[in-house]
Amino acid sequence: MADYAQQQQYPNLNPYSGGANGQNTASFGSNASAGQQVEGTKNTMMSKAQSAMDSVQNHPAVQNIQNGPMADKARQETAQVQGEFSNLANSRQTPDTKTATGQPLTHYHSLFYTLLSWENPRATAISYAAIVLAIFASRYLPIVRYGLRLTWIVTGITAAAEIAGRMVFDQGFASKMRPKKYYTIPRETLESSLEDLEQLINFFVIEVQRIVFAENIYATVGAFASALTTYFLIKVTPAWGLALIFATVIYFVPLVYISNKELIDSHLENAGNIVSQQSQQVRDLASQHTSKAMEVGSQTINQYSNKAKEMMGQTKGKAVDQGIVSQETADQTEQSLRQAPSAPAMDPTHNPAGFQAQQGRAEPMAAQY
């Protein structure tokens, strides 16, 4: 106990106390020295902390991490990612290519072409990863429940703070934090957003029509194959699985084509040549069969015409022999039947009176009614 009593007595920092450890410390000098001692201790602790931070910052391991090859590589990758996203944003320009009807395309055509052509691989890979994560999040995370939970938590805290503040301080905390002016979306931002939305909607509308009317036969065939595959997959695959499959196909089919462009183009050219040859053969066969059919039809018509003439001659001879008609009348009838009707020299709808006069039976137009 004696040793404990002989230990250093700590000063009392309370300026209003009458004494500390049996001594009167109410004097101003003692309080000033105590404050200086506390300030010195604080500065000493801050300097020690700063020196410790400097020591850690200057440690070879930390310097190696910050300035080593891994850090340089990370900075380079970050700069490249930023540059690729900038290039992707700058590609939103209306292309010079037009549709088959002469209509201009939207700037989303150039944006999606740049995105799916893997001209900026990092940006394209990040967008694909973001879509996949969104699909899995919608599948495995109850996003709606989380949103409702966040809503009732925020509104509950706000209401409780407002009520407690009005009961205790006659002023609610939420109303005290209320801004002087609520935030509103500028008109320019809304107009640009609506214009961008219009371009996006028209992109899908134009592409659907180009596919339906076979402006690009390969795109039409691809849409047919996709629709047919989806028709059977939808029976056994959930919606999130179909979305994942379509996202993967949309992103990686162009990559496969770009990586094997020469091989795929050669096969497509060979397939086009084969189809062209088969189409030419089909046209030749159709022409041959049409010629044969016309020849057979002409022969059949001639045969029936000759038979009809023979029957007419036999009928005329019987009628003359039996005295039903005279020979002159029979000859005139046969001659009139053999003569083909001739087309009028002018259109009767343009000048009916003149046409009737030409035929030798002109009548007033009113007489016809």
Side-chain angles (χ1 to χ4, degrees):
M1 295 296 295
D3 296 336
Y4 178 79
Q6 294 177 359
Q7 289 180 357
Q8 181 180 359
Q9 299 297 324
Y10 294 97
N12 186 8
L13 301 181
N14 186 2
Y16 300 100
S17 62
N21 298 325
Q23 297 179 359
N24 187 7
T25 58
S27 63
F28 178 77
S30 299
N31 292 336
S33 63
Q36 291 176 0
Q37 185 176 0
V38 171
E39 187 68 22
T41 304
K42 181 179 178 181
N43 293 334
T44 303
M45 293 177 63
M46 291 181 63
S47 62
K48 288 183 178 180
Q50 185 66 33
S51 63
M53 292 178 61
D54 293 339
S55 300
V56 173
Q57 187 74 18
N58 297 326
H59 194 273
V62 177
Q63 291 293 325
N64 188 24
I65 293 175
Q66 292 183 348
N67 302 321
M70 294 181 61
D72 294 339
K73 184 66 175 177
R75 283 191 289 268
Q76 292 176 2
E77 290 293 332
T78 303
Q80 290 178 354
V81 169
Q82 293 176 352
E84 290 187 1
F85 273 105
S86 299
N87 295 335
L88 188 62
N90 295 331
S91 66
R92 295 176 55 185
Q93 298 178 0
T94 303
D96 297 332
T97 306
K98 296 185 178 181
T99 63
T101 58
Q103 294 173 270
L105 301 176
T106 65
H107 61 250
Y108 274 101
H109 284 82
S110 58
L111 174 66
F112 286 130
Y113 176 82
T114 305
L115 178 66
L116 300 179
S117 63
W118 292 81
E119 295 181 4
N120 303 288
R122 294 171 181 81
T124 304
I126 291 174
S127 64
Y128 171 73
I131 292 175
V132 171
L133 289 177
I135 293 172
F136 279 107
S138 63
R139 170 63 180 86
Y140 293 103
L141 296 178
I143 299 177
V144 177
R145 288 183 56 193
Y146 287 165
L148 293 174
R149 179 181 297 180
L150 179 63
T151 301
W152 72 256
I153 288 175
V154 171
T155 54
I157 292 175
T158 303
E162 181 70 15
I163 293 172
R166 291 187 179 184
M167 292 178 62
V168 178
F169 302 102
D170 292 336
Q171 185 178 8
F173 292 106
S175 59
K176 190 174 183 180
M177 297 174 60
R178 184 186 303 138
K180 295 181 179 180
K181 184 178 180 181
Y182 289 120
Y183 173 77
T184 57
I185 302 176
R187 181 176 181 179
E188 295 78 9
T189 304
L190 284 176
E191 290 179 352
S192 62
S193 301
L194 291 176
E195 183 179 358
D196 196 64
L197 180 62
E198 177 191 1
Q199 293 285 318
L200 180 61
I201 294 174
N202 284 331
F203 164 77
F204 290 105
V205 172
I206 291 174
E207 286 303 307
V208 168
Q209 295 178 87
R210 294 175 73 186
I211 290 174
V212 170
F213 295 105
E215 183 172 327
N216 186 346
I217 187 61
Y218 298 109
T220 304
V221 172
F224 162 74
S226 300
L228 183 62
T229 306
T230 306
Y231 176 78
F232 292 103
L233 285 179
I234 200 171
K235 300 178 181 179
V236 295
T237 307
W240 69 271
L242 287 176
L244 183 61
I245 292 172
F246 281 133
T248 304
V249 169
I250 290 172
Y251 270 87
F252 286 96
V253 165
L255 180 61
V256 172
Y257 173 75
I258 293 171
S259 302
N260 305 277
K261 189 175 185 302
E262 296 181 357
L263 179 62
I264 295 175
D265 287 344
S266 63
H267 284 292
L268 291 176
E269 185 178 359
N270 293 334
N273 294 333
I274 293 173
V275 171
S276 178
Q277 293 175 1
Q278 294 296 328
S279 300
Q280 186 64 36
Q281 291 180 0
V282 170
R283 285 194 295 268
D284 294 340
L285 289 175
S287 178
Q288 293 177 3
H289 287 295
T290 302
S291 301
K292 290 181 179 180
M294 292 179 65
E295 183 179 356
V296 171
S298 178
Q299 293 177 358
T300 304
I301 291 173
N302 292 332
Q303 291 177 0
Y304 281 104
S305 178
N306 295 330
K307 289 183 179 180
K309 290 178 181 180
E310 292 177 0
M311 293 176 64
M312 288 174 62
Q314 294 175 0
T315 304
K316 184 188 73 171
K318 290 181 180 180
V320 172
D321 293 341
Q322 294 177 3
I324 299 175
V325 294
S326 62
Q327 183 69 35
E328 183 180 0
T329 303
D331 293 339
Q332 291 178 355
T333 303
E334 183 180 3
Q335 186 68 22
S336 62
L337 290 175
R338 288 183 178 181
Q339 289 180 351
S342 58
M346 60 181 298
D347 190 355
T349 59
H350 291 171
N351 191 2
F355 175 73
Q356 293 176 357
Q358 183 179 0
Q359 298 297 325
R361 48 186 177 87
E363 295 180 358
M365 295 297 297
Q368 297 180 3
Y369 302 97

